[in-house]
Amino acid sequence: MGGLTVDPAELGRLYEQRTAGPAPAYQRVKDLVSQQIADGHWREDDALPSESQFVEALGLSRMTINRALRELATEGVIRRVMGVGSFVTPRKASSALLAVHNIADEVHRRGHRYEARVLSVREERADEKTGAHLGLGEGQPVFHSRVVHYEDGVAIQLEDRYVNPAFAPGYLEEDFTRRTPFTFLSKVAPLGKGEHIVEAVLASPEECAILGVAPTEPCLLIHRRTWSRDALVSIARLLHPGSRYRLEGAFATH
């Protein structure tokens, strides 16, 4: 984890360049920090100047600096560690938009630590909508799992999945802290095709608590359906904090 050598005069000069216009002081501090990060002067995991150093260099109140850093943390630009300092947040985790992958593999490919927390795994009776999606009648058994996926201890996805029991014997007994539902289903019902529908949403109060996000933070919601041998096996609702995740895709034209 790197540390920044602070030149108060240089920091002050950069701030003064942002004094034009109606933006309040705390916003100009936010802009300064964001620009330093965007320009590569402050890199992932670098320690930012302390609040006291900002106060001294910029001639602003501690309250103004605190607000700027607090809002940057809420927006996911930096992270704050109580009693230690503020640090540049690593680049957002990303997932392929045009493919279906295992989230644990994505985290490991980035060289980070993957963990999962199982909220629930149980058999339920399908409601009309879920049953119709899975080709089941209303009231028929359906497997339902809710799992939180973490990257380096930070929640990046809340997975809410329904599975057709006919294609997933042993689903209820599986330990999804050891392998993901996607990995298990890929073994018992090899993936034939998948579908993604993506939208921006605000999480429910319960989901905000689980993911550790503010009620006002936009989230990415992926509706995923997967088939095996032309049969729909699973439908999943994958919720990602917008400040920690992004989707990527590539295509070619002919």
Side-chain angles (χ1 to χ4, degrees), residues 12-13 30 32-33 60 64 68 124 130 141-142 144 162 187 200-201 210 212 224 249:
R13 185 186 65 78
K30 289 176 62 179
L32 168 61
V33 173
L60 299 173
T64 296
E124 298 177 354
T130 303
V142 64
H144 182 200
Y162 288 92
K187 297 291 185 182
V201 301
I210 291 170
R224 174 185 287 176

Side-chain angles (χ1 to χ4, degrees), residues 98-117:
L98 305 179
V100 179
H101 293 305
N102 178 32
I103 190 167
D105 293 339
E106 293 175 355
V107 172
H108 290 147
R109 278 196 296 270
R110 291 190 285 269
H112 296 167
R113 185 180 77 257
Y114 168 79
E115 296 174 274
R117 177 165 65 100

Side-chain angles (χ1 to χ4, degrees), residues 28-80:
R28 296 200 298 272
V29 175
K30 289 176 62 179
D31 292 344
L32 168 61
V33 173
S34 297
Q35 192 62 54
Q36 289 294 98
I37 294 171
D39 290 346
H41 300 304
W42 298 354
R43 301 179 180 179
E44 292 183 7
D45 291 324
D46 273 347
L48 268 65
S50 68
E51 287 191 13
S52 297
Q53 289 173 318
F54 272 119
V55 168
E56 178 184 355
L58 307 184
L60 299 173
S61 70
R62 185 174 291 272
M63 182 180 299
T64 296
I65 300 300
N66 182 269
R67 177 175 178 177
L69 297 180
R70 188 174 67 248
E71 291 192 7
L72 285 168
T74 299
E75 294 164 9
V77 177
I78 65 172
R79 69 182 191 280
R80 307 187 77 190

